[in-house]
Amino acid sequence: MRRRRNEVTVELRKNKREETLQKRRNVPVADSTDEDDIEKTLSTTNLEQLVASAASDNPVVQLNAVQSARKLLSSDRNPPIDALIESGILPILVRCLECHDK
């Protein structure tokens, strides 16, 4: 009985710590990680528009697009990495990393 209570306490602490880390990362805590959730995320974010905005010459638009891509990749436990790579945003992100002004 005592061991079980200790195990429950440890599990609760782990969950609380994970929630705190997710809040720090500004990531919503999601209970389910279905493929349907990924498809919902992809449907709400138009990847073609995101890539076009990231390739923009306007630094504000480009920064917003890169931040949106980053948030999309860190939004859940199974981020749509393959879909973003296939969209062609990777070379644009590499170019953004080469800029030293921001």
Side-chain angles (χ1 to χ4, degrees):
M1 181 98 159
R2 187 174 189 180
R3 185 182 338 147
R4 182 175 171 213
R5 184 174 48 211
N6 285 338
E7 289 173 359
V8 169
T9 304
V10 168
E11 186 67 28
L12 288 173
R13 271 192 260 141
K14 284 181 182 178
N15 290 341
K16 180 68 174 173
R17 192 174 100 217
E18 181 66 27
E19 287 177 13
T20 304
L21 287 174
Q22 294 295 331
K23 286 179 185 177
R24 281 187 187 168
R25 294 177 185 149
N26 197 18
V27 176
V29 178
D31 293 335
S32 64
T33 56
D34 297 332
E35 289 184 18
D36 294 336
D37 291 340
I38 294 171
E39 290 176 8
K40 285 181 188 176
T41 306
L42 285 174
S43 66
T44 58
T45 304
N46 187 352
L47 292 180
E48 293 175 2
Q49 184 180 11
L50 185 68
V51 172
S53 297
S56 172
D57 290 333
N58 185 345
V60 175
V61 172
Q62 187 178 36
L63 180 63
N64 288 334
V66 170
Q67 286 177 342
S68 296
R70 181 186 56 82
K71 288 178 182 179
L72 184 62
L73 288 172
S74 65
S75 63
D76 54 20
R77 295 178 192 254
N78 295 321
I81 296 171
D82 292 332
L84 276 172
I85 290 173
E86 291 172 2
S87 71
I89 198 168
L90 195 58
I92 297 168
L93 294 177
V94 171
R95 267 189 274 132
C96 290
L97 288 173
E98 292 173 350
C99 296
H100 296 289
D101 58 343
K102 292 184 181 175

